[in-house]
Amino acid sequence: MFCTKCGYNAGTAKFCPKCGNPLNPQPVQETPVQNEPVVQTVQSEPVVQQQFGTQPQSGAVPPVNADVPRYQEAPPMQPQPRKKKKKWPIVVAIIAVIAAAAAVIGFVVLPNVLSPDKHAKAAIKKLGTGLENTASSAFDNMSFTSVSDKSQITGTLKIDTATIDGEKYSDYIKADTVTYDIQMDASTEKMAGEIKLQNGSATALTATFYSDGNNMYFKVPELFSESFVISLAQLEDEIDSGFSYGSMGSISKYFSSIDTSNIELYREPVNAAVKCVVKGINTFAEECEYKKGDKLTYNSDNGDIKVSEYSITITKDAVIKACETVIDELYASKDLSSYMTLLTMAGVSQTTIKSSIESSLSDMQPVTISMYVNKKDEIVRLAIDAADYNTSEKGFIAMSFLGNDNPFEYVVIEADVDDINMKYTVRTQDNKAALALEMTQNKEYIKAGAELSASGTTVKIDNLYVNSNIDGSNIDMKLSGEATQKEFSKLKYSASDYSGAYNLANLTDTQSTTLAYELMKNLNVLSNVFSDNLYNELFNGKSSSGSARLGF
């Protein structure tokens, strides 16, 4: 008989002499001693006990002639691997669920736990994106407007209502409309134009003027044939406004080097400069220190907004590195190389600028800012405790960006420091804008604002209002009008138009007498400016012939 396993000719043997395979397995399988004990011994007790490091018990060891049970144990053990394979689908499913959960934790939860500044940085960097978009939009808008260092603005401003301490302006003023035509040449610091008081469609009073940057010349032809001059420095002192037209010179002269007839030429360098600034903002975002706060609902002027709060610490190093990034990028930009070369030739080098910045920030202390960020990684609010600037101050300063489509379409600036509370709001949408200012200090207050709409180069003033109570005087005023901007080629007036002008700061007695006589002669002109009651109060009555007697 040949072995069915190895093919050896075993003759009449019951087992293959070569491999030990049973040649007649039926009798062996019928023997209970060679079946049940083998299964119990191999598959149960010895295996379990050996797993715990124990020796097999006596009597549980297979018979001396172990060939038979050893080769018979194979069929009973075959089902055991199959039983383990049946468990694999369950194990795989469990592992898959755990892996999926780990992925969710890794990509969603862990970044917020291990890197709480992720969204805060993204929000700050988005400011850079907004800056780039704003610069691009500005150039697009310039194609519809006139951009020039020689700008002429014409328009009207009408007093709709005005009440002072409960008394209406109509009780005092007839001329309720101002028309203006003003030319400004920023490159030479010169300006000229005229302003008129209108009583309906009739001109009640006119003032023409010219300024060379140092002196202001003007005429009021309906009242005086003479011209007048006053130095701008003295005028600034008289009105105490803090504004200096002459101080514009150092900046405005640079406008003369700009080819305003083709503003598109500057798109590339401006965009390049903006990108340099954006990289500085990105550096700033990376260098600041962040601490994540709670998720909350910010009750804003434009509705409730779901936000995450962050505490940002701005260090001196963060500011310096951000500035240095901008400087390095500016000097490395090919689009700006000619401009930066001019600066270098003027003695302003990359190194000197950095040194100057580091010197100016040498005493800077860390400043902590509170920042709210929405789900779009957009900054909703920035706030700083006033004490971080001045330990003696109390309150806060904040800026909020609340626009729906564009956060910058609705900006609110607030300050509440000691006894001063201020809120300034700017809202823009399409071609409309609304400005509003509210400021209070103790019991005094001022509220002012405007509603504007634009069409081409014309801006319409739908509502310009002022309401205040300062030093015991209450003012409530509303105006409307429009303004149009265009380019001019030549100023309407020059110094030669005001030759022999009287210096108002140093009038002689003769000049004063001459002016008083002319005023009396032309006094009836003012009857078209002031109301009859005010005119009579000021000048003590008016005769039917048009002459009048001054009340002084």
Side-chain angles (χ1 to χ4, degrees):
M1 178 180 293
F2 291 93
C3 177
T4 59
K5 184 175 183 181
C6 67
Y8 183 77
N9 188 359
T12 59
K14 295 182 178 181
F15 299 94
C16 178
K18 184 176 181 180
C19 66
N21 181 51
L23 300 179
N24 187 12
Q26 295 299 326
V28 177
Q29 291 177 355
E30 291 175 355
T31 306
V33 176
Q34 295 176 350
N35 187 7
E36 295 179 359
V38 171
V39 175
Q40 292 176 356
T41 302
V42 176
Q43 294 183 359
S44 178
E45 293 181 4
V47 173
V48 173
Q49 290 177 354
Q50 288 178 9
Q51 286 177 347
F52 290 90
T54 59
Q55 295 296 327
Q57 297 179 358
S58 60
V61 181
V64 176
N65 187 9
D67 289 338
V68 174
R70 182 181 298 120
Y71 294 108
Q72 284 183 334
E73 75 181 65
M77 290 185 66
Q78 291 301 321
Q80 188 159 349
R82 286 196 295 270
K83 289 181 181 179
K84 290 183 179 180
K85 287 182 180 179
K86 290 180 180 179
K87 295 179 181 179
W88 273 108
I90 299 176
V91 174
V92 171
I94 294 174
I95 293 175
V97 171
I98 294 175
V104 172
I105 294 173
F107 288 103
V108 178
V109 179
L110 288 183
N112 290 322
V113 175
L114 303 179
S115 182
D117 55 356
K118 175 183 176 182
H119 296 291
K121 288 181 180 179
I124 294 176
K125 291 178 180 180
K126 246 186 177 181
L127 286 176
T129 303
L131 182 61
E132 286 190 79
N133 293 337
T134 300
S136 179
S137 298
F139 274 95
D140 292 338
N141 292 335
M142 284 178 183
S143 62
F144 300 104
T145 60
S146 174
V147 179
S148 174
D149 48 11
K150 292 179 172 60
S151 181
Q152 182 171 357
I153 302 175
T154 59
T156 62
L157 196 61
K158 183 179 184 299
I159 300 176
D160 297 321
T161 61
T163 302
I164 301 175
D165 295 333
E167 297 186 81
K168 296 181 179 179
Y169 84 97
S170 57
D171 294 336
Y172 302 96
I173 303 294
K174 287 182 179 179
D176 60 358
T177 302
V178 176
T179 64
Y180 51 89
D181 185 351
I182 301 173
Q183 299 172 318
M184 295 178 290
D185 188 342
S187 63
T188 61
E189 301 179 48
K190 295 179 180 180
M191 62 188 302
E194 54 189 30
I195 299 174
K196 295 180 180 181
L197 287 178
Q198 298 282 141
N199 183 355
S201 60
T203 299
L205 206 62
T206 304
T208 68
F209 65 90
Y210 165 78
S211 172
D212 59 8
N214 296 312
N215 298 298
M216 175 70 75
Y217 301 86
F218 64 94
K219 285 182 179 180
V220 186
E222 289 88 355
L223 293 176
F224 306 101
S225 59
E226 289 78 15
S227 301
F228 305 93
V229 62
I230 186 172
S231 72
L232 289 175
Q234 183 179 1
L235 182 61
E236 291 162 11
D237 291 339
E238 291 292 335
I239 63 178
D240 192 26
S241 65
F243 169 77
S244 174
Y245 180 79
S247 64
M248 295 172 59
S250 58
I251 298 175
S252 62
K253 287 180 180 178
Y254 290 105
F255 283 97
S256 61
S257 63
I258 298 177
D259 182 8
T260 54
S261 63
N262 192 357
I263 198 69
E264 188 66 24
L265 291 173
Y266 302 97
R267 182 186 288 269
E268 288 298 328
V270 169
N271 285 342
V274 170
K275 288 181 179 179
C276 296
V277 174
V278 170
K279 290 185 178 180
I281 292 175
N282 292 344
T283 298
F284 175 81
E286 294 292 339
E287 294 296 328
C288 287
E289 299 172 4
Y290 302 87
K291 182 179 180 182
K292 193 174 187 299
D294 298 328
K295 290 186 176 181
L296 47 87
T297 299
Y298 174 44
N299 305 119
S300 76
D301 290 349
N302 198 27
D304 295 344
I305 304 174
K306 299 291 184 181
V307 296
S308 295
E309 184 179 23
Y310 292 87
S311 178
I312 305 174
T313 300
I314 302 174
T315 63
K316 177 176 67 176
D317 288 342
V319 177
I320 290 177
K321 287 182 179 179
C323 292
E324 289 182 343
T325 297
V326 175
I327 295 167
D328 289 340
E329 293 294 331
L330 287 172
Y331 276 89
S333 173
K334 294 180 180 179
D335 293 323
L336 298 170
S337 59
S338 59
Y339 297 92
M340 307 317 293
T341 299
L342 288 174
L343 281 178
T344 303
M345 293 173 62
V348 181
S349 67
Q350 189 172 355
T351 303
T352 57
I353 296 176
K354 288 184 178 181
S355 299
S356 177
I357 291 174
E358 290 181 8
S359 177
S360 63
L361 296 174
S362 60
D363 297 330
M364 176 183 170
Q365 298 298 317
V367 177
T368 301
I369 292 179
S370 174
M371 181 172 75
Y372 292 170
V373 178
N374 65 14
K375 294 179 180 179
K376 298 178 182 179
D377 287 341
E378 296 170 338
I379 295 177
V380 174
R381 180 178 173 87
L382 294 170
I384 184 171
D385 193 324
D388 287 344
Y389 278 113
N390 189 334
T391 55
S392 64
E393 300 285 356
K394 295 181 180 179
F396 70 91
I397 301 171
M399 178 178 291
S400 301
F401 308 94
L402 309 175
N404 295 324
D405 298 327
N406 182 348
F408 296 97
E409 290 179 348
Y410 193 154
V411 179
V412 180
I413 302 173
E414 300 172 271
D416 189 355
V417 181
D418 287 345
D419 61 345
I420 299 177
N421 183 282
M422 185 274 289
K423 183 176 182 179
Y424 179 61
T425 303
V426 180
R427 300 183 67 174
T428 58
Q429 186 174 7
D430 299 328
N431 294 322
K432 294 184 178 181
L435 317 176
L437 170 67
E438 295 183 16
M439 183 179 294
T440 61
Q441 183 176 19
N442 299 324
K443 294 183 179 181
E444 296 185 331
Y445 68 86
I446 180 171
K447 298 179 181 180
E451 295 174 9
L452 313 172
S453 57
S455 177
T457 59
T458 299
V459 175
K460 184 179 179 182
I461 304 170
D462 299 311
N463 181 23
L464 176 63
Y465 65 90
V466 177
N467 181 271
S468 66
N469 190 341
I470 300 175
D471 292 335
S473 179
N474 185 280
I475 299 175
D476 187 6
M477 184 178 296
K478 292 182 179 180
L479 305 94
S480 60
E482 64 179 26
T484 301
Q485 181 183 0
K486 60 183 179 181
E487 187 177 6
F488 72 92
S489 58
K490 182 180 179 181
L491 288 169
K492 283 186 174 182
Y493 304 102
S494 64
S496 61
D497 294 314
Y498 303 90
S499 58
Y502 288 5
N503 190 334
L504 288 178
N506 191 22
L507 288 173
T508 65
D509 291 340
T510 301
Q511 290 173 337
S512 298
T513 301
T514 301
L515 293 176
Y517 175 78
E518 282 202 84
L519 178 59
M520 291 176 64
K521 184 177 65 174
N522 300 318
L523 203 57
N524 63 320
V525 172
L526 297 180
S527 64
N528 294 321
V529 177
F530 303 118
S531 67
D532 294 340
N533 290 335
L534 180 58
Y535 182 86
N536 289 329
E537 288 181 15
L538 290 174
F539 307 113
N540 202 21
K542 174 175 176 290
S543 66
S544 59
S545 62
S547 61
R549 180 167 57 85
L550 292 175
F552 52 82

